[in-house]
Amino acid sequence: SGYMSLSNEPGGSEEETAILRDPDRYAKEYKVIFRSMGAADHLLPHFLEDNKKFEAYGLDKMPSYHYRLYPNQQHVWGAFRRGLYDFAQLIFK
């Protein structure tokens, strides 16, 4: 859950997002990628900005990519709980 580090944030780096530009590496290294957030989360703009990155490189169309936005949820346990449940369904098949 959450969003990826921005390269201008402390701890963020170009290396963290470089894999997005390499679909073959992405598919090999990430069997499941799951992104989720509450639709009322104050960090939603950053999360949506990340969506643009995934879309720009076509990664959102890959079978390993899963995305959930939970209506009426903020940055609270309820959103995380839903995300954890949905993620677990993907990795414990």
Side-chain angles (χ1 to χ4, degrees):
S1 68
Y3 61 95
M4 298 179 309
S5 296
L6 302 172
S7 59
N8 62 347
E9 288 183 342
S13 74
E14 177 62 25
E15 293 174 22
E16 292 176 331
T17 57
I19 193 169
L20 298 179
R21 292 186 295 276
D22 187 347
D24 292 332
R25 180 179 167 206
Y26 177 91
K28 181 180 177 184
E29 292 187 23
Y30 293 95
K31 303 301 180 201
V32 173
I33 187 160
F34 178 82
R35 302 180 62 242
S36 68
M37 184 172 269
D41 194 311
H42 68 283
L43 297 171
L44 184 62
H46 298 290
F47 186 79
L48 297 176
E49 190 64 32
D50 287 346
N51 284 356
K52 293 177 187 174
K53 293 175 188 175
F54 281 93
E55 292 168 4
Y57 298 107
L59 301 176
D60 61 319
K61 304 291 188 255
M62 298 183 98
S64 61
Y65 181 82
H66 305 273
Y67 163 86
R68 304 281 187 278
L69 196 58
Y70 302 110
N72 304 316
Q73 292 294 311
Q74 298 179 359
H75 196 84
V76 295
W77 171 246
F80 177 78
R81 181 176 52 85
R82 286 169 177 80
L84 180 60
Y85 176 84
D86 288 343
F87 178 64
Q89 303 309 302
L90 297 170
I91 62 170
F92 293 112
K93 285 186 173 186

